[in-house]
Amino acid sequence: QWPSSRSSGINAEYGGDQINKENSFKPLVDYIDEQFENYLQEELKIKRDLVTFHDSRIHVCLYFLVPTGHSIRSLDLVTMKALDKKCNIIPIIAKSDTVSKSELDTFKANIMEELRANDVEIYTFPTDDETVAEVNKDMNDMMPFAVVGSREDVKVGETVVRGREYPWGVVEIENELHCDFVKLREMLIRTNMEDLREVTHRKHYELYRRGKLKQMGITDDGAHPVSLQETYEQKRAE
């Protein structure tokens, strides 16, 4: 169970490569932009209330990768590149129990190398705060996280755990020796939630905001003071 919060996120996973890859990621990009637009319209109101406003901006995208054991599919690379200026991306290997430990280690290394080679920017846990610097550095080195999912309760000895049962044994979801689920949850919910929000507002939303206002011919550089709300409404009506 993931604790509820005021942060928003999306899960992204695609089933296969397609000829027109833009059609695959466009709904995600459009949805993220729509949340930015909702916030921008509230921000531009003369009487605005951002404290009580429901902030639906996407603060994190958990991007699930198929465990091929070798490399990232081209569709995933194109999609992640389209999203990396829109939100904080955390790559995750899904169904990691379907590959061996050695294959998983190789796959993780290959993923990070391909992301770097293709200039795909993923979220990195901040290390400037000494209280979390060491653990965040370790988690950055662990990326991408490898997780296993299950809704089933399984009995292991005298204990009931959430896991997946196989003829050879049980994969426990919250056993850190079996997968990275607990570490991922800790990093998102308890350690870095505020940073995710801050990066969304300071980096991704600001990029959208500046682009949108520039597109409409609106400047807020102080040289020519204008009513952003009035100009915005006028431009939108044209």
Side-chain angles (χ1 to χ4, degrees):
Q1 297 286 333
W2 290 77
S4 60
S5 70
R6 293 188 64 184
S7 291
S8 302
I10 54 175
N11 298 333
E13 178 181 7
Y14 291 107
D17 285 349
Q18 304 196 11
I19 295 176
N20 189 346
K21 294 179 173 59
E22 183 177 353
N23 290 337
S24 297
F25 63 73
K26 191 175 184 301
L28 278 175
V29 172
D30 289 346
Y31 179 79
I32 295 171
D33 282 348
E34 181 182 345
Q35 311 318 307
F36 283 153
E37 182 66 20
N38 292 339
Y39 193 89
L40 177 61
Q41 290 195 36
E42 179 66 22
E43 190 177 53
L44 291 175
K45 289 180 180 179
I46 295 175
K47 293 184 178 181
R48 58 188 179 184
D49 187 2
L50 294 175
V51 175
T52 61
F53 177 74
H54 175 61
D55 183 4
S56 60
R57 292 175 298 175
I58 302 304
H59 301 294
V60 62
C61 170
L62 304 180
Y63 198 100
F64 286 83
L65 298 165
V66 175
T68 64
H70 304 291
S71 61
I72 306 177
R73 299 172 306 174
S74 60
L75 175 59
D76 290 321
L77 283 173
V78 171
T79 302
M80 294 173 81
K81 187 59 182 174
L83 294 174
D84 69 358
K85 297 296 186 293
K86 300 287 184 180
C87 61
N88 302 309
I89 300 176
I90 296 180
I92 297 174
I93 301 173
K95 302 176 182 178
S96 62
D97 56 330
T98 60
V99 295
S100 68
K101 181 65 168 62
S102 59
E103 289 176 326
L104 186 60
D105 291 340
T106 300
F107 189 33
K108 282 191 172 191
N110 290 346
I111 288 173
M112 297 306 292
E113 179 59 33
E114 288 188 74
L115 292 178
R116 284 190 291 268
N118 289 275
D119 294 322
V120 176
E121 185 177 347
I122 63 174
Y123 174 77
T124 55
F125 300 114
T127 56
D128 52 345
D129 183 346
E130 62 180 18
T131 62
V132 295
E134 185 174 351
V135 65
N136 276 353
K137 181 181 182 302
D138 290 342
M139 293 303 103
N140 285 331
D141 293 340
M142 183 175 287
M143 288 244 234
F145 292 97
V147 302
V148 181
S150 175
R151 297 181 179 179
E152 303 296 325
D153 291 328
V154 182
K155 192 170 184 179
V156 178
E158 297 300 319
T159 307
V160 176
V161 300
R162 184 66 57 88
R164 299 180 68 87
E165 189 168 15
Y166 295 97
W168 44 263
V170 174
V171 176
E172 300 176 33
I173 307 305
E174 298 193 45
N175 186 328
E176 295 187 36
L177 296 177
H178 294 184
C179 77
D180 300 331
F181 176 81
V182 171
K183 293 185 177 69
L184 175 63
R185 181 177 61 189
E186 180 74 19
M187 290 298 97
L188 289 179
I189 304 299
R190 297 187 177 91
T191 309
N192 296 292
M193 180 182 291
E194 288 306 316
D195 186 71
L196 287 164
R197 289 174 176 169
E198 181 183 338
V199 173
T200 295
H201 185 77
R202 171 175 46 83
K203 180 180 178 181
H204 301 300
Y205 170 68
E206 183 60 22
L207 183 63
Y208 174 86
R209 175 184 175 278
R210 287 180 177 273
K212 192 72 172 181
L213 298 182
K214 183 178 180 181
Q215 184 183 64
M216 293 182 170
I218 303 174
T219 60
D220 58 348
D221 55 10
H224 303 285
V226 296
S227 168
L228 292 181
Q229 174 62 16
E230 291 178 7
T231 308
Y232 179 81
E233 293 294 341
Q234 180 182 344
K235 293 289 184 179
R236 190 169 61 173
E238 291 178 355

